[in-house]
Amino acid sequence: MRSFWTVMAKEFLSFLRSWGLVAVVLYSFTLDVYIAGQGIEVKPRNVRVGYVIEGGGVLPQKILSHLHAPEFQKPKWFASQKELQKAIFNKEILVGLIFGHDFEKNIDSHKGAKLDVLLDATAASQAYITLVYLQNTLLRLENIHIPLKLKIHKLFNQNADSHMFISFAEMLSVITMIGIILTAAVFVKEKEDGTWDIMLLMPVDSRLVILAKAASQIAIVMGGILICVGFVLLGVFHVPINGSFLAFMLLSLLYAFTIAGIGLFIAAASHTIMEVAQLSVLIMMPLIFLSGAWTPIYSMHPILQKLSVISPLRYYIEGSESIFFRGTGWSDLYPYFMGVSVLGILTFWYGYRKIGRLF
Amino acid sequence: MRTSVIKAYMQKEFKDLVRTKMIYLVYLLPTMILLLFGYGIRLEVTGARTIIIDQDQSRFSKELIDKCTHSKYFNTKVLLISPNEGLHRIKQAKTDILLIIPPHFEHDLLHGQKSELAAFIDGAFPLRATTMQGYVEGVILHAAKELAQRFGLKHPLITLNHRALFNQAMRDENAIVPGLIGLIMLVAPALLSALLIVKEKEMGTIFNFYASPVKKSEFLIAKLTPVFLLHSINIFILFLWATWWFGVPFRGSFGLYWITSELYLLISLSIGLLVSIITNRQIVAVVLTLIITIIPGFLYSGMLMPISSMVGESYIEAHIFPVMYYNHIVYDTFLIGQGLESMKNILYLAILAGYGTLLLIVGSLLLKKELG
Amino acid sequence: MALLEVDSVHIAYKRTIAVKEASFTADAGQIVGFIGADGAGKSSLFHAIAGVLHFRGEIRYKGYPYHSPKEAEPIKPYIGLMPQGLGLVLYPQLSVEEHLEFFANIRDIPRDKAFMKYKKKLLHMAGLAEFPDRLAKNLSGGMKQKLSLICTLIHKPKLLILDEPTTGVDPLSRQELWEILDQNRKEERSLTLFSTAYMGEAAKMDKIHLMDEGEIIAQGTAGELIKSARPYTYQATRCKECITFNGRTYSLKPLSAPHAEPTLESLFFINALKKGKIPPPVEVLPRETPIDIPEVVMEAKGLTKRFGDFVADDHIDMQLRRGEILGLLGANGAGKTTFIKMLLGLYPIDEGELYLLGRKIQSPKDRQELKRYIGYMSQNFALYKDLTIRENLFYFANMHQLPLNKASERIERLAKSLGFWDYMDSFPKDVPMGINQRFSLAAAILHEPVVLFLDEPTSGVDTIARAQFWQLLHKLKHIWGISILVTTHYMSEAQYCDRVVVLRRGKKIADASPKELERRFGTKDFEEVFLRLYEEQE
């Protein structure tokens, strides 16, 4: 046991003294997550609207006055359809409204009027969401009383705050990246520095050395998770913890072991840090994109859906999402724990076998 | 400028790329990113798992359920469970939407009383949630209008007649894949060129350049050309994936797409080159390149958020990175097809050319033929 | 006018001064040597002359003065630089032939008949004519250096700058390198600047500069330099303010002892005396835990290791007796490293038997057990550079399960007696090589092993530290009764061993005391002994 702690302590010291690495890890767990969470906004926000009024009247202005911040920027007037279209082509305008010649006349005569809407559909999601928003605005404006009322409850994240979610998903990606690279690097560094033989010559069971080295990096990742959750998720983005924080940390620990297993495998296959970087990128990309972090699994291609069953990140993400947002209780979390554990044991065992052969 | 010197260095670079198997990475990485992201990022939600609890079991409620079942957006199940049980299923992430049709639904409607439908949506994934909310509202709105007509209520006066430009079908592929090309062509070439010089510095072979009469210009041309040529092929590969595999329409001129991409490739290479010149360790060069290319490549690509919707800082930042200019032209060539008729395209092309030239000048000024 | 004039060149990095006001001149057709330890400033001086490093002062090539790398650009066609490091200028993925083509191309040499002939000749001289298609990464260390040299020669430079081209190269390859140089000097009349840590090569040079801490402390021919050292060199005796090593005592004050014949190395000792830097004595205290060591500590019987078809070690027998220093010598690729790795238990043994302390080593468990009795100090003193010296030592103590209070006591004792107590909280990269060497030794003997393996323990270390290190090993041998197996490329160091084993192509070709071998070949120069041994086998 003493050797175990000695190796752990040595790896911690080495980590803390390579300030470049510390900076990168800290950056990834704080600023990187922050930037990702801050930068991407998927709600229609600041949408630029342009309009053309061919006829006259007050109604168009009344409609336009409903398009206001934060969803819309102040609508911009265009002299002709052609100019409006050009602005859309140049991506200066996302939504164009054309009030035709007899727009107001038709309404006054209760004939029913058509409002032409031009959407820049290269931004498909914004376009669609804007359309729905417009439709609702018009209905409200016309004061139509439909006996049917729809009350929508968005559970767990009432405002559909995407900062929260994106920062959360980014953290999970960072955990994956840092976990793999750190674990692989801690072994490959010994190869590069020529201390590999010295490590082998210690009268200590190789299993102990491998475990201690992996455990030290897992601990660093866990530290990163704590910092990230504490300062960025809770501190800046006010992500709720509806479930048990303990469950999340436990799930994270299991996941960190899985990731360390992949790291061990990479370490066994590489001779230089450069190779570690290349291999990690090749393994990480599919792992992250098959996980459902960026897109729901059931809207993926059927083959990818099947493949995603073997992505440990999938279980980790779904589990963590459930804990943080849905507040799912322990008893309902067992599929995630099972998924991460089974895949974790498999990858760690495989990585351990691979690296063990070098001892 | 002696061509034989340049040729010798170029041959060496080619052989090195092939024999170190880096060549696989050159062609594997862009395609892999395109396929993964192309399939991976879905803004449209289809087949949202929906549970409808029909507490009324009437003709009207059945009609409403019918509307949902026939929509591609929902994957509907009608269950006889309690609302609490339904909520619990959302908690377990077994379902995304729960729609509850209240008792006396038909009765209330027939008697002109207000009836309230309740929809519960899993909001853990906000993008998904907002989109699903739109679908639910759309379906219900549609149904409500029909009902209103049937009961002879006031007819809505304004109907929206929308025309989605460039992407009539509103396909995600069309919206995302061209943007991905901008991301990939920024990251992959930069990653490769970032290693070009720092690798020689770390190994020591840089002395062959330092101590020989090879000129800086010869050295730079010899270093960049092989990578440039190899990645130029990717411009075509990515084009084929986009049009043939993902079925993205191509409405503009291929010439413009090609020229712009080559220009953009040069910028990406120059970014990597700058990193390679200022760093001394390969691993630092790799990490630095990833940080300065991936995040801007993603955020300011216009893929997830239109640049026109950005405000303040991010609006300015978007204009600093080259990806916005390139993507504007790429989206134009794929989906719009204005080409050089648009002044903006010409302006952006000029900006890209200036950008590339500037980076190359800075790079060659920073490159010193001596130990740092 | 001399071909090259170096006028008070001064080179400073951020905090340290690399070269202090160095001046010298050299003529065409000469081989001019620079001798000194790592960090003496040889490389910096060479880089400045080659025009790849900023400096203060002036350098003139054929009367053309330059003061910066930029100004040196016009003379680069006439310069050939081979920087320090095995195969540093080679591309691992290019073949021998491709290298020559590449180097000829970047020098823009026309492909005429004369060039083809010259290329062929170079390949032949380097002994590489047989495998033009072999990739550089698959060449042995000696071959790499020869290839680097002929690549540097391909444009027939008038000024050839070779930075430690023979370091880490076995005597055989070293001899071949010198032959190439000799021929080049005769035919091309170029000036060669040559730095080395091997004193033995100095005799072949026209002029020698000794460098220490950035200064040229002496210059002249080998004869002149040795003559200048004569007044200060005495036969070994005890005295104050003097240094004694290898049968000689150096003193600035006259001693009553009779004078002895100095060597070039003597100049470094005398320089240390002049600067008042007398190295503190090192001691070895007895083992804390006495142990009964049998007469034969380690025995290898027919040890064999194969990699596919290639036999790295072919039935090698070796005995390591109690309190014996055994030198393991051989050319690059002779199988030394593989042999040591088998003895260390790092490689499984394909054939043969290994006994430690009379017990046969068979299972992996035995090999695990083996590690407790072995101390190992690797090349370049590879220790953890992110840990301080103290932390490094505690790490090893913990790994060897030494009780904590005993460990700290022992570390303190070793640090004080080996003279690095003042550096305990420094990082390995911040202390002189000599200190690193001794602290690595401390790490290797912390658990009081019975056998010590040293893999090139003295490369890159200055003369005085090297002398001290060998004194230390001898004390360790006498007081601890420890057996030491050491590999080295410095043939002169073979003389400090009790017995040497020479390997060639995986086979043992000699196993005798250095004295015996010297008698057999009738020479005192062990470098020659080695070459003759190899010749016998041809």
Side-chain angles (χ1 to χ4, degrees), chain B residues 152-203:
Chain B
L153 284 170
K154 196 171 133 198
H155 195 282
L157 285 171
I158 309 169
T159 43
L160 282 179
N161 175 29
H162 73 265
R163 203 145 54 88
L165 297 170
F166 326 130
N167 186 7
Q168 271 83 357
M170 288 231 182
R171 290 180 68 223
D172 269 344
E173 286 91 340
N174 298 2
I176 290 207
V177 171
L180 282 176
I181 298 179
L183 171 67
I184 294 166
M185 290 309 286
L186 183 67
V187 177
L191 203 54
L192 193 62
S193 73
L195 296 174
L196 285 177
I197 295 175
V198 74
K199 192 174 71 189
E200 297 222 16
K201 276 197 247 180
E202 211 173 275
M203 293 203 327

Coordinates of all heavy atoms in Angstrom, one line a residue, chain B residues 152-203:
Chain B
G152 N -67.9 27.2 -36.3 CA -68.3 28.5 -36.9 C -67.7 29.7 -36.1 O -68.3 30.8 -36.1
L153 N -66.7 29.6 -35.5 CA -66.1 30.7 -34.8 C -65.4 31.6 -35.8 O -65.3 31.3 -37.0 CB -65.1 30.2 -33.8 CG -65.8 29.6 -32.5 CD1 -64.7 28.9 -31.6 CD2 -66.5 30.6 -31.7
K154 N -64.9 32.7 -35.2 CA -64.2 33.7 -36.0 C -63.0 33.0 -36.8 O -62.2 32.3 -36.3 CB -63.7 34.8 -35.1 CG -63.3 36.0 -35.9 CD -63.1 37.1 -34.9 CE -61.8 37.9 -35.2 NZ -61.3 38.6 -34.0
H155 N -63.0 33.4 -38.0 CA -61.9 32.8 -38.9 C -60.7 33.6 -38.8 O -60.7 34.9 -38.8 CB -62.4 32.9 -40.3 CG -61.7 32.0 -41.3 ND1 -60.4 32.4 -41.8 CD2 -61.9 30.8 -41.8 CE1 -60.0 31.5 -42.6 NE2 -60.9 30.5 -42.6
P156 N -59.6 33.0 -38.6 CA -58.3 33.8 -38.5 C -58.1 34.6 -39.8 O -58.3 34.0 -40.9 CB -57.2 32.8 -38.2 CG -57.8 31.4 -38.3 CD -59.3 31.6 -38.5
L157 N -57.8 35.8 -39.7 CA -57.7 36.7 -40.8 C -56.4 36.6 -41.6 O -56.3 36.6 -42.8 CB -57.9 38.1 -40.4 CG -59.4 38.4 -40.1 CD1 -59.6 39.8 -39.5 CD2 -60.2 38.3 -41.4
I158 N -55.3 36.5 -40.8 CA -54.0 36.5 -41.4 C -53.4 35.1 -41.5 O -53.4 34.4 -40.5 CB -53.0 37.4 -40.7 CG1 -53.6 38.8 -40.4 CG2 -51.7 37.5 -41.4 CD1 -52.8 39.6 -39.5
T159 N -53.1 34.6 -42.6 CA -52.4 33.3 -42.7 C -51.0 33.6 -43.1 O -50.7 34.5 -43.9 CB -53.1 32.4 -43.7 OG1 -53.4 33.1 -44.8 CG2 -54.3 31.7 -43.1
L160 N -50.1 32.8 -42.6 CA -48.7 33.0 -42.9 C -48.4 32.1 -44.1 O -48.8 31.0 -44.2 CB -47.8 32.5 -41.8 CG -47.7 33.5 -40.6 CD1 -46.8 32.9 -39.6 CD2 -47.1 34.8 -41.1
N161 N -47.8 32.8 -45.1 CA -47.5 32.0 -46.3 C -45.9 32.1 -46.4 O -45.3 33.0 -46.8 CB -48.1 32.7 -47.5 CG -47.6 32.1 -48.8 OD1 -47.4 30.9 -48.8 ND2 -47.6 32.9 -49.8
H162 N -45.3 31.0 -45.8 CA -43.9 31.1 -45.7 C -43.1 30.4 -46.8 O -43.6 29.4 -47.3 CB -43.4 30.7 -44.3 CG -43.5 29.2 -44.1 ND1 -44.5 28.6 -43.5 CD2 -42.6 28.3 -44.4 CE1 -44.3 27.3 -43.4 NE2 -43.2 27.1 -44.0
R163 N -42.0 31.0 -47.1 CA -41.2 30.4 -48.1 C -39.8 30.3 -47.6 O -39.2 31.3 -47.2 CB -41.2 31.3 -49.4 CG -40.9 30.7 -50.6 CD -41.7 31.3 -51.8 NE -41.5 32.8 -51.9 CZ -40.6 33.4 -52.5 NH1 -39.7 32.7 -53.2 NH2 -40.5 34.7 -52.5
A164 N -39.3 29.1 -47.4 CA -38.0 28.9 -46.9 C -37.0 29.0 -48.1 O -37.1 28.2 -49.0 CB -37.8 27.6 -46.2
L165 N -36.2 30.1 -48.0 CA -35.3 30.2 -49.1 C -34.1 29.2 -49.0 O -33.7 28.9 -47.9 CB -34.7 31.7 -49.1 CG -35.8 32.7 -49.4 CD1 -35.2 34.1 -49.1 CD2 -36.4 32.7 -50.8
F166 N -33.5 28.9 -50.1 CA -32.3 28.1 -50.2 C -32.4 26.6 -49.7 O -31.6 25.8 -50.0 CB -31.1 28.7 -49.4 CG -31.2 30.2 -49.4 CD1 -31.1 30.9 -48.2 CD2 -31.3 30.9 -50.5 CE1 -31.1 32.3 -48.2 CE2 -31.3 32.3 -50.5 CZ -31.2 33.0 -49.3
N167 N -33.4 26.4 -48.8 CA -33.4 25.1 -48.2 C -34.8 24.7 -47.9 O -35.3 24.6 -46.8 CB -32.6 25.2 -46.8 CG -32.5 23.8 -46.2 OD1 -32.8 22.8 -46.7 ND2 -31.9 23.8 -45.0
Q168 N -35.6 24.6 -49.1 CA -37.0 24.5 -49.0 C -37.4 23.4 -48.0 O -38.4 23.5 -47.3 CB -37.6 24.2 -50.4 CG -38.0 25.5 -51.1 CD -36.8 26.1 -51.8 OE1 -35.7 25.5 -51.7 NE2 -37.0 27.1 -52.5
A169 N -36.7 22.3 -48.1 CA -37.1 21.1 -47.3 C -36.7 21.3 -45.9 O -37.0 20.5 -45.0 CB -36.5 19.8 -47.9
M170 N -36.0 22.4 -45.6 CA -35.4 22.6 -44.3 C -34.7 21.4 -43.8 O -34.8 20.9 -42.7 CB -36.6 22.9 -43.3 CG -37.2 24.2 -43.5 SD -37.2 25.0 -41.9 CE -38.0 26.6 -42.2
R171 N -33.8 20.9 -44.7 CA -33.0 19.7 -44.3 C -31.9 20.1 -43.4 O -31.2 21.1 -43.7 CB -32.5 19.0 -45.5 CG -33.6 18.3 -46.3 CD -33.0 17.6 -47.5 NE -32.1 16.5 -47.1 CZ -30.9 16.3 -47.7 NH1 -30.4 17.1 -48.5 NH2 -30.2 15.2 -47.3
D172 N -31.6 19.4 -42.4 CA -30.5 19.7 -41.5 C -29.2 19.6 -42.3 O -28.2 20.3 -42.1 CB -30.4 18.8 -40.3 CG -31.2 19.4 -39.2 OD1 -31.5 20.6 -39.2 OD2 -31.5 18.6 -38.2
E173 N -29.1 18.5 -43.1 CA -27.8 18.3 -43.9 C -27.4 19.6 -44.6 O -26.3 20.0 -44.6 CB -28.0 17.2 -44.9 CG -28.0 15.8 -44.2 CD -29.4 15.4 -43.9 OE1 -30.3 16.3 -43.8 OE2 -29.7 14.2 -43.7
N174 N -28.4 20.2 -45.3 CA -28.1 21.4 -46.1 C -27.6 22.5 -45.2 O -26.8 23.3 -45.6 CB -29.4 21.8 -46.8 CG -29.9 20.8 -47.8 OD1 -29.3 19.7 -47.8 ND2 -30.9 21.1 -48.5
A175 N -28.1 22.6 -44.0 CA -27.8 23.7 -43.1 C -26.4 23.4 -42.5 O -25.7 24.4 -42.2 CB -28.8 23.9 -42.1
I176 N -26.1 22.2 -42.3 CA -24.9 21.9 -41.5 C -23.6 21.5 -42.3 O -22.6 22.0 -42.0 CB -25.2 20.8 -40.5 CG1 -26.2 21.4 -39.4 CG2 -24.0 20.2 -39.8 CD1 -26.2 20.8 -38.1
V177 N -23.8 20.7 -43.3 CA -22.7 20.1 -44.0 C -21.8 21.2 -44.6 O -20.5 21.1 -44.4 CB -23.1 19.0 -45.0 CG1 -21.9 18.6 -45.8 CG2 -23.6 17.8 -44.2
P178 N -22.3 22.2 -45.3 CA -21.4 23.2 -45.8 C -20.6 23.9 -44.7 O -19.4 24.2 -44.9 CB -22.3 24.2 -46.6 CG -23.5 23.4 -46.9 CD -23.7 22.4 -45.7
G179 N -21.2 24.2 -43.6 CA -20.6 24.8 -42.5 C -19.4 23.9 -41.9 O -18.4 24.4 -41.5
L180 N -19.7 22.6 -42.0 CA -18.6 21.7 -41.5 C -17.4 21.8 -42.4 O -16.3 21.6 -41.8 CB -19.2 20.3 -41.5 CG -20.1 19.9 -40.4 CD1 -20.6 18.5 -40.6 CD2 -19.3 20.0 -39.1
I181 N -17.6 22.0 -43.7 CA -16.4 22.1 -44.5 C -15.5 23.2 -44.0 O -14.3 23.1 -44.0 CB -16.8 22.3 -46.0 CG1 -17.6 21.1 -46.5 CG2 -15.6 22.5 -46.9 CD1 -18.1 21.2 -47.9
G182 N -16.1 24.3 -43.6 CA -15.4 25.5 -43.1 C -14.6 25.1 -41.9 O -13.5 25.6 -41.6
L183 N -15.2 24.3 -41.0 CA -14.6 23.9 -39.8 C -13.4 23.0 -40.0 O -12.3 23.1 -39.6 CB -15.6 23.2 -38.8 CG -15.0 22.6 -37.6 CD1 -14.5 23.6 -36.6 CD2 -16.1 21.7 -36.9
I184 N -13.7 22.0 -40.9 CA -12.7 21.0 -41.2 C -11.4 21.6 -41.9 O -10.3 21.3 -41.5 CB -13.3 19.8 -42.0 CG1 -14.3 19.1 -41.2 CG2 -12.2 18.9 -42.5 CD1 -15.2 18.2 -42.1
M185 N -11.7 22.4 -42.9 CA -10.6 23.0 -43.6 C -9.8 24.0 -42.8 O -8.8 24.5 -43.2 CB -11.1 23.6 -44.9 CG -11.6 22.6 -45.9 SD -10.5 21.3 -46.3 CE -9.2 22.1 -47.2
L186 N -10.4 24.4 -41.6 CA -9.6 25.2 -40.8 C -8.7 24.4 -39.8 O -7.6 24.7 -39.6 CB -10.5 26.1 -39.9 CG -9.9 27.1 -39.0 CD1 -9.2 28.2 -39.9 CD2 -10.9 27.8 -38.1
V187 N -9.3 23.3 -39.3 CA -8.6 22.6 -38.3 C -7.6 21.6 -38.8 O -6.4 21.6 -38.4 CB -9.6 21.7 -37.4 CG1 -8.9 20.9 -36.4 CG2 -10.6 22.7 -36.7
A188 N -8.0 20.8 -39.8 CA -7.1 19.7 -40.3 C -5.8 20.2 -40.9 O -4.7 19.8 -40.5 CB -7.8 18.8 -41.2
P189 N -5.8 21.2 -41.8 CA -4.5 21.6 -42.4 C -3.7 22.3 -41.4 O -2.4 22.1 -41.3 CB -4.9 22.6 -43.5 CG -6.3 22.3 -43.8 CD -6.9 21.8 -42.5
A190 N -4.3 23.1 -40.5 CA -3.5 23.8 -39.5 C -2.8 22.8 -38.6 O -1.6 23.0 -38.2 CB -4.4 24.7 -38.7
L191 N -3.5 21.8 -38.2 CA -2.9 20.8 -37.3 C -1.7 20.2 -38.0 O -0.6 19.9 -37.3 CB -3.9 19.7 -37.1 CG -3.8 18.8 -35.8 CD1 -3.7 19.7 -34.6 CD2 -4.9 17.9 -35.7
L192 N -1.7 19.9 -39.2 CA -0.6 19.3 -39.9 C 0.6 20.3 -40.1 O 1.7 20.0 -39.8 CB -1.0 18.8 -41.3 CG -0.1 17.9 -42.1 CD1 0.1 16.6 -41.3 CD2 -0.6 17.6 -43.4
S193 N 0.3 21.5 -40.5 CA 1.3 22.5 -40.7 C 1.9 23.0 -39.4 O 3.1 23.4 -39.4 CB 0.9 23.6 -41.6 OG 0.0 24.5 -40.8
A194 N 1.2 22.8 -38.3 CA 1.7 23.3 -37.0 C 2.9 22.4 -36.7 O 3.8 22.9 -35.9 CB 0.7 23.2 -36.0
L195 N 3.0 21.2 -37.2 CA 4.1 20.3 -36.8 C 5.3 20.5 -37.8 O 6.4 20.1 -37.4 CB 3.6 18.9 -36.9 CG 2.5 18.6 -35.9 CD1 2.0 17.2 -36.1 CD2 3.1 18.7 -34.5
L196 N 5.1 21.1 -38.9 CA 6.1 21.1 -39.9 C 7.5 21.6 -39.4 O 8.5 21.0 -39.7 CB 5.7 22.1 -41.1 CG 4.6 21.5 -42.0 CD1 4.2 22.5 -43.0 CD2 5.1 20.2 -42.6
I197 N 7.5 22.7 -38.8 CA 8.8 23.3 -38.4 C 9.2 22.9 -37.0 O 10.3 22.5 -36.7 CB 8.7 24.9 -38.5 CG1 8.6 25.2 -40.0 CG2 10.0 25.5 -37.9 CD1 8.4 26.7 -40.2
V198 N 8.2 22.8 -36.1 CA 8.5 22.5 -34.7 C 9.0 21.1 -34.6 O 9.9 20.8 -33.8 CB 7.2 22.7 -33.8 CG1 6.2 21.6 -34.0 CG2 7.7 22.8 -32.3
K199 N 8.6 20.2 -35.5 CA 9.1 18.8 -35.5 C 10.6 18.9 -35.8 O 11.4 18.2 -35.1 CB 8.4 18.0 -36.6 CG 8.6 16.5 -36.5 CD 7.7 15.8 -37.4 CE 8.2 16.0 -38.9 NZ 7.3 15.5 -39.9
E200 N 11.0 19.7 -36.8 CA 12.5 19.7 -37.1 C 13.2 20.4 -36.0 O 14.4 20.0 -35.7 CB 12.7 20.5 -38.4 CG 12.0 19.8 -39.6 CD 12.9 19.8 -40.8 OE1 14.1 20.1 -40.7 OE2 12.4 19.6 -41.9
K201 N 12.6 21.3 -35.3 CA 13.2 22.0 -34.1 C 13.5 20.9 -33.0 O 14.5 20.9 -32.4 CB 12.4 23.1 -33.6 CG 12.6 24.4 -34.3 CD 12.1 25.6 -33.5 CE 10.9 26.2 -34.2 NZ 10.3 27.3 -33.5
E202 N 12.5 20.1 -32.8 CA 12.6 19.2 -31.7 C 13.6 18.1 -32.0 O 14.3 17.6 -31.1 CB 11.2 18.6 -31.3 CG 11.0 18.2 -29.9 CD 9.6 17.8 -29.5 OE1 8.8 18.7 -29.3 OE2 9.4 16.6 -29.5
M203 N 13.6 17.7 -33.3 CA 14.5 16.6 -33.6 C 16.0 17.1 -33.9 O 16.9 16.3 -33.7 CB 14.0 15.9 -34.9 CG 12.7 15.2 -34.7 SD 12.5 13.9 -35.9 CE 13.3 14.5 -37.4

